[in-house]
Amino acid sequence: MTRSQPRSLRERLARREVQLLGKDGRAYVLRPIEPTDAPSMIRGFNALSPRQRWLRFLHAVPVLTPEAALALCTPDPVLDICLVIEGQGELAGDIVGGARITGAPNRDDGEFSVSMRPEVQGLGLARQALQTALDAAAEAGYRRVWGYVSARNDGMRQLAKRLGFRVRRDPDDFSQLIAEIQLVAPRTG
């Protein structure tokens, strides 16, 4: 008897069957976040410089409390797609980054965010994680994904453009940009 393969991307992610290949030659597992990831999230937050924290949250966040970390690790299972990358080598057992799409109640659009620990930046993992989150959002029926990006965050702005986002100035706050992409539902059988 052969086992049937899960059909959806979200099922494959839940089974930890999706891997990202880093420029360091390592395969990293991409999976949904879990409440038990909260301590690892705090360690990752503490590894960020104050500037990196500001670029991630778009305001000063000096401390990530256990309560805030648990809230971030407990997304809405219906509306949100929150994927994390499991660390390798000296970071085995920790999450080293990920991508999140926080869905709107209308299930038509969602807001994206990406975060990576400094130790794995530049390995191409952020691009792959965000692309996978976008694919999962399209599969779930989302039509549009958008996010705020600091005008000073060249790396995130370039990543968004490489993935096909339209990037424009926020008319209400010139210190930030709005990156937006229209999603195409995947074709079925």
Side-chain angles (χ1 to χ4, degrees):
M1 178 196 288
T2 57
R3 298 165 94 175
S4 63
Q5 289 290 327
R7 285 172 255 190
S8 76
L9 175 57
R10 286 180 94 166
E11 288 173 322
R12 292 193 336 266
L13 287 160
R15 291 179 182 219
R16 299 175 187 220
E17 296 174 352
V18 176
Q19 293 187 348
L20 310 178
L21 184 60
K23 291 179 182 175
D24 60 357
R26 292 180 172 167
Y28 293 81
V29 172
L30 184 67
R31 62 165 174 84
I33 200 165
E34 301 169 349
T36 57
D37 290 322
S40 179
M41 180 170 281
I42 292 170
R43 288 190 296 276
F45 177 87
N46 291 337
L48 298 174
S49 70
R51 182 177 191 280
Q52 290 168 324
R53 292 176 190 174
W54 189 89
L55 290 174
R56 169 62 183 87
F57 292 98
L58 296 177
H59 62 275
V61 180
V63 174
L64 183 62
T65 66
E67 297 80 16
L70 181 59
L72 288 169
C73 292
T74 314
D76 183 314
V78 174
L79 294 177
D80 301 336
I81 297 162
C82 185
L83 307 176
V84 294
I85 303 165
E86 293 181 351
Q88 295 288 328
E90 64 280 355
L91 292 173
D94 269 343
I95 56 173
V96 296
R100 175 185 303 258
I101 296 176
T102 304
N106 66 12
R107 292 195 48 103
D108 279 342
D109 53 54
E111 182 179 0
F112 81 91
S113 59
V114 177
S115 185
M116 300 299 293
R117 283 183 65 139
E119 299 94 332
V120 297
Q121 290 178 2
L123 296 180
L125 300 174
R127 180 190 54 75
Q128 293 175 72
L130 181 53
Q131 182 62 64
T132 304
L134 292 170
D135 293 344
E139 181 181 88
Y142 286 92
R143 295 181 183 162
R144 179 179 79 101
V145 171
W146 62 275
Y148 293 110
V149 177
S150 167
R152 295 180 178 187
N153 192 342
D154 294 333
M156 189 63 233
R157 187 180 72 245
Q158 291 170 3
L159 172 60
K161 286 183 177 180
R162 277 195 307 271
L163 289 176
F165 283 81
R166 185 176 141 249
V167 179
R168 59 185 166 84
R169 286 257 180 223
D170 180 344
D172 299 321
D173 183 349
F174 285 149
S175 71
Q176 62 189 24
L177 308 168
I178 298 173
E180 179 179 4
I181 190 168
Q182 300 296 318
L183 301 180
V184 177
R187 294 181 182 212
T188 56

